[in-house]
Amino acid sequence: MPLLGKPDPNQAKAQEIADRIVTVLQDAAEIDGRYATALRKLNTNGTLDQTDWADVARDMKDVRAAAGKHFSEDKIPKGKSPKENAEWWARLSQAEQDEHVALHPASIGALDGLPATVRDQANRLVLTQDQTDIEQRLRYIEAHEPKQYERRTRGQWRVRDEWKEWKKEKERVAGIKTGIEALQDRFVNTTTKGLPESFLLSFDTNGRGHAVVANGNPDLAQHTAVYVPGTGSRLEKIEDGLGRSDKLWRTSTALAPDQTISTISWYGYDAPQRVKQDASHSSYADDAAPTVNQFFSGLHASHAPDVNQHVTAVAHSYGTTVVGSAARQGNLEADDVVFAGSPGVQVGRASEMDVPKGHVWNEHAREGDDDVGDWGKYVHGHREGLDFVIPNDAKFGAQQMDTDTEGHSGYWDYTEGKNGQPGKPSLSIENQGRVIVEQYGRVKLK
């Protein structure tokens, strides 16, 4: 009991604790309301439209702001294998899983090994919120353009370094905005394009941005193909990869209409952007390789155990170097590998690609029509004395598929339709489709 006239020394401390409890309870009430509303929308089994996603993302952002001081991301695995990630997720209750998606969507969406439906849900939240942030960022940049020129001696002028940096950042942010809009258009118009449901397996706006998009659920697919692009690929140009992935899905599905197929556009690495200055360096491929192996391993960890699984890596140009580096550095968990327009893959034999004998396939446009391998081999080919071996060479040991397309980027061409009829797949892409659905005996070789 305090002495008469003397304040209780513990009273202030007790009041502080009481105030904290009141704050927590108030936050909890706010969290519960927003959280319940958002979860009701999230649990509608994929019927959300773009407006719904915006509402959910806004609610979840408010929930995270209120809950951030009470909940942490410490329990989410970091640096674990996809198998360990999958096991961790399976141990959580439904309520715990919902909380992680709601409070930490970026971390959950990035975890290889988690179900495609979960990653899609988490990454759609991130995408929708980041779209707003990117649009605001671009408006701010455009409104704060610095002075472009400065006077030098003798009346000469030069472009200021500050303006150059401003322009570079403006182009980067504008490019990300373009990529996000392409993704949103894909999600809105998937059905009208005659494609299966889309799944956003990865997304971020770091650097030039990254995204991984699947046509169809790879967890339930009997055949999955992963398209790995080459030089110049970035979020801004993901529409190119989506188009090729779409054609792979249409071609493969037409060849095996009774099979379930998923095709994936893997824009998950920092690709070289300039041919002469950047693509001659192997560092881009070497840095990306562990991420490639992690992703392919994740496809196996999240796949339904009662469905047979066959996975094909389809790589183009510098993307073939990325896939080759992945096999060289670790274990590429693919059943087949298809190379197109390869400048070299860092290994000298198909037997080093981690797939069964006879399951490395190569496409090279007709003689003189794709010269990437002619100069690329001296950088990315496997050196043997004075020689440099790439997948185009007989000694490499790949199955050389016949092609009927032109140029370095024509391997996914369709013929142009006439009289309102759809175009037909070229032999180049049809051969890829036959590998994807394991119709090896129908592949036309050179």
Side-chain angles (χ1 to χ4, degrees):
M1 181 176 178
L3 297 175
L4 188 61
K6 297 269 189 176
D8 186 343
N10 293 318
Q11 183 174 352
K13 192 174 294 185
Q15 186 61 51
E16 180 184 349
I17 293 172
D19 290 342
R20 282 210 310 268
I21 292 173
V22 170
T23 300
V24 169
L25 291 174
Q26 290 173 338
D27 286 347
E30 179 183 350
I31 292 168
D32 282 346
R34 294 264 191 174
Y35 185 58
T37 300
L39 277 185
R40 279 196 298 272
K41 287 188 175 182
L42 278 178
N43 290 328
T44 54
N45 296 320
T47 59
L48 295 179
D49 60 23
Q50 199 164 353
T51 302
D52 291 329
W53 277 111
D55 291 342
V56 172
R58 187 166 46 251
D59 285 340
M60 288 306 187
K61 184 178 181 180
D62 291 340
V63 168
R64 288 193 293 276
K69 51 198 167 208
H70 307 305
F71 301 94
S72 72
E73 296 182 70
D74 293 345
K75 294 182 180 180
I76 298 177
K78 290 180 176 63
K80 301 293 185 181
S81 70
K83 183 174 182 292
E84 290 171 316
N85 293 340
E87 291 170 348
W88 167 77
W89 186 256
R91 289 194 298 268
L92 301 179
S93 67
Q94 184 63 56
E96 290 172 325
Q97 291 177 354
D98 289 342
E99 287 175 5
H100 281 301
V101 171
L103 299 178
H104 311 296
S107 295
I108 294 301
L111 279 184
D112 290 306
L114 266 58
T117 52
V118 172
R119 298 184 70 176
D120 176 66
Q121 194 177 83
N123 286 315
R124 296 281 188 109
L125 290 173
V126 177
L127 172 72
T128 305
Q129 182 56 54
D130 282 359
Q131 182 171 20
T132 300
D133 295 342
I134 285 293
E135 289 171 349
Q136 291 175 347
R137 172 68 177 158
L138 184 58
R139 286 194 294 269
Y140 177 85
I141 291 173
E142 291 174 338
H144 293 81
E145 179 179 359
K147 187 177 179 181
Q148 184 173 359
Y149 297 101
E150 63 181 0
R151 186 187 293 274
R152 303 295 289 172
T153 57
R154 299 178 183 176
Q156 294 179 337
W157 293 80
R158 77 164 190 178
V159 178
R160 300 173 69 230
D161 290 340
E162 183 183 0
W163 188 87
K164 291 179 182 178
E165 289 300 315
W166 172 87
K167 182 173 181 287
K168 183 179 179 181
E169 177 65 4
K170 176 188 173 185
E171 291 174 347
R172 184 190 76 84
V173 175
I176 292 175
K177 178 176 179 289
T178 297
I180 289 176
E181 289 170 348
L183 290 173
Q184 294 286 27
D185 178 72
R186 159 49 54 88
F187 300 146
V188 170
N189 295 308
T190 293
T191 303
T192 61
K193 292 176 182 290
L195 297 166
E197 184 179 0
S198 296
F199 293 82
L200 185 60
L201 302 181
S202 183
F203 174 80
D204 68 68
T205 58
N206 300 329
R208 290 186 173 89
H210 310 89
V212 179
V213 183
N215 288 323
N217 188 342
D219 294 345
L220 304 176
Q222 294 163 287
H223 305 286
T224 298
V226 182
Y227 169 72
V228 181
T231 300
S233 60
R234 56 186 182 270
L235 185 60
E236 179 181 1
K237 294 187 175 182
I238 196 169
E239 194 165 9
D240 295 340
L242 293 175
R244 289 174 180 175
S245 181
D246 293 350
K247 289 178 180 178
L248 283 173
W249 185 86
R250 295 183 198 281
T251 303
S252 302
T253 299
L255 291 169
D258 59 336
Q259 304 285 298
T260 50
I261 297 166
S262 175
T263 57
I264 299 173
S265 299
W266 192 82
Y267 277 58
Y269 80 111
D270 294 321
Q273 295 300 302
R274 301 168 298 178
V275 175
K276 292 183 179 179
Q277 299 94 327
D278 301 332
S280 60
H281 297 284
S282 61
S283 58
Y284 297 93
D286 294 339
D287 291 344
T291 308
V292 171
N293 286 330
Q294 185 88 347
F295 180 76
F296 276 81
S297 178
L299 289 176
H300 290 279
S302 62
H303 197 261
D306 58 339
V307 178
N308 291 330
Q309 183 182 34
H310 171 251
V311 178
T312 303
V314 178
H316 178 229
S317 192
Y318 193 90
T320 70
T321 311
V322 172
V323 172
S325 184
R328 179 183 62 80
Q329 293 190 55
N331 181 33
L332 178 67
E333 293 191 46
D335 302 293
D336 282 280
V337 172
V338 175
F339 293 136
S342 177
V345 297
Q346 297 190 357
V347 299
R349 298 292 183 272
S351 58
E352 299 176 71
M353 287 304 305
D354 298 338
V355 297
K357 184 178 180 179
H359 289 263
V360 176
W361 311 79
N362 186 63
E363 289 191 336
H364 182 230
R366 298 186 182 279
E367 201 64 35
D369 209 28
D370 183 355
D371 60 358
V372 168
D374 295 338
W375 59 264
K377 67 190 305 178
Y378 299 108
V379 181
H380 304 300
H382 185 264
R383 184 167 186 170
E384 296 181 1
L386 298 178
D387 197 11
F388 292 84
V389 181
I390 63 175
N392 296 346
D393 300 321
K395 67 169 63 175
F396 184 84
Q399 301 238 47
Q400 301 295 331
M401 297 194 291
D402 199 4
T403 60
D404 62 346
T405 50
E406 299 178 355
H408 183 59
S409 300
Y411 299 100
W412 295 272
D413 284 352
Y414 265 49
T415 60
E416 192 169 333
K418 297 180 180 179
N419 301 321
Q421 296 299 312
K424 294 182 179 180
S426 62
L427 174 62
S428 300
I429 191 173
E430 195 165 70
N431 271 335
Q432 295 178 44
R434 288 167 178 158
V435 172
I436 290 170
V437 298
E438 300 182 89
Q439 294 179 4
Y440 305 124
R442 298 182 62 193
V443 175
K444 294 184 178 180
L445 302 176
K446 289 183 177 179

